[in-house]
Amino acid sequence: MPAPAGPTVASPHDAADPAPAPLAGGTRGPHALHPLLGTVLDALAEGAADRHGPFPAGGPEAVTARMRARALPVLPETGTGAHEALHTLVGALAEGSADPADPRCAAHLHCPPLALAAAADLAAAALNPSLDSWDQAPAATALEALTTRALAALAYPRHPAPDALVTTGGTESNQLALLLAREAAKETATPLRIVCGANAHHSIHRAAWLLGLPAPLTLPTPAGTLDPTRLHDALTDPATTGTPTLVIATAGTTDTGRIDPLPALADLCHTHGARLHIDASYGGPLLFSDTLRPALDGLDRAHTIAVDLHKLGWQPVAAGLLAVPDTTALHPLAHHADYLNAPDDTRAGLPDLLGRSLRTTRRPDILKIAVTLRALGRRGLGDLVERVCAAAAHLADLIDAHPGFDLYARPTLSTVLFRPTPTDDRTTAGLRRTLLHHGHAVLGRTTTPEGLWLKATLLNPHTTPDDLRTLLTLVEGQVRR
Ligand SMILES: Cc1ncc(COP(=O)(O)O)c(C=O)c1O
């Protein structure tokens, strides 16, 4: 048959064809990566030095102008080469980043990743296993199974076969928890009812919307935690008798870091036949600490638990988990796509991964987690958790002793709410934006019934008392202006 007419394509073996960009994998990948890493690391150091602090100064316009000057043209006709592109863009990103490794960057549940976890993540990127089928990720499949079971056993120590899914974070974990609850309630005539506190993460409401469930009944939480009396009233409301119910409790709220009274809430769920999901995205890693773990008593009575290791676990994003007391609880997620988990392959013993996520292609986020667990051990991680909680307690002491500041409450985890006194909400909000604009400090904001507060979320285990004094001095400096 004559060859079809069409454009001429150069043969890959054509002597005139320039060598394509080197690959990261295989035996030669590390040799190709080595010099590039030198460029990346230099650019990271230069960018951080050029930033002169925790945050780029000048606000969105200045940051965008600096990025335009470095990043354009985005798609040049002829490329600039690996070293130039890495140096320019990594440097620009580092210079313009909010850097959680700086103790004055303490706004959000945005942790500074450990160097060893970032190094492991490079290996994950180079090898690029994809956890949607065993034939794309044989060793990663085994490592994920071992690691998720070990972490789930920490959350459910008294259960014989606990398991956990790896997620992109609390948002996805909460969504999966609602999905599992919806599936468990499928046989009943009425749709699943969700009951949460006003302190629950916004992703609960979004997940209900996404899954076609009625909007959650949201109980007021003026004291910051879900009140068992209010939950009792909601669970005994005669109008909802027989309605399958999922209760959401939070262990470590986004706004204040408080932990709902888990044992009392679990008792109520048990008595009234409701399912319980505990969003421990923030507070879950207290499990690593011998001294702090008791604050999570009752956690193992939940049907599902969300835990994030990119918050109090010092992992690069993403490192979320959804734990269940028994691996069979995950069966509703089973799914079939012949090219990934053909029944005869599964019968022949090839692990079926499709039911372990709603995603298809999936990064081996487990590698950095497993490396961290092995390198630091439970005690090492517990020590980091204790350090940031102790730093928060110290910051609260400093604020308490300062006549120019009001402390909202003693911290439960590593979140401290405070504000200058006297102040009003407009001044407090403006003060936060001024600190951001100058790139001096990154603080968050939280509104309670008492008004607006500055929020310091301390996730840097290297933070010293001097760093905390500097932070307060910076805030004080703005108040005096
Ligand atoms: C309590 C809680 N749950 C869930 C989430 C969502 O986590 P992610 O942003 O990792 O999806 C957050 C985020 O801060 C949170 O504080």
Side-chain angles (χ1 to χ4, degrees), residues 109 168-172 174 201 203 250 252 254 279 281 308 310-311:
L109 286 161
T168 52
T171 301
E172 186 185 341
N174 287 339
H201 191 253
S203 58
T250 311
T254 318
D279 179 356
S281 296
D308 274 359
H310 59 231
K311 295 183 171 54

Side-chain angles (χ1 to χ4, degrees), residues 457-478:
T457 312
L458 302 181
L459 293 186
N460 186 335
H462 295 274
T463 299
T464 64
D466 270 352
D467 294 326
L468 298 172
R469 275 190 285 273
T470 306
L471 187 64
L472 288 184
T473 306
L474 283 165
V475 177
E476 209 182 353
Q478 288 309 319

Side-chain angles (χ1 to χ4, degrees), residues 413-436:
L413 298 179
S414 66
T415 300
V416 183
L417 304 189
F418 68 106
R419 62 187 173 197
T421 177
T423 190
D424 55 68
D425 289 357
R426 223 175 115 246
T427 312
T428 308
L431 190 160
R432 188 188 91 89
R433 282 192 294 271
T434 307
L435 289 169
L436 275 183

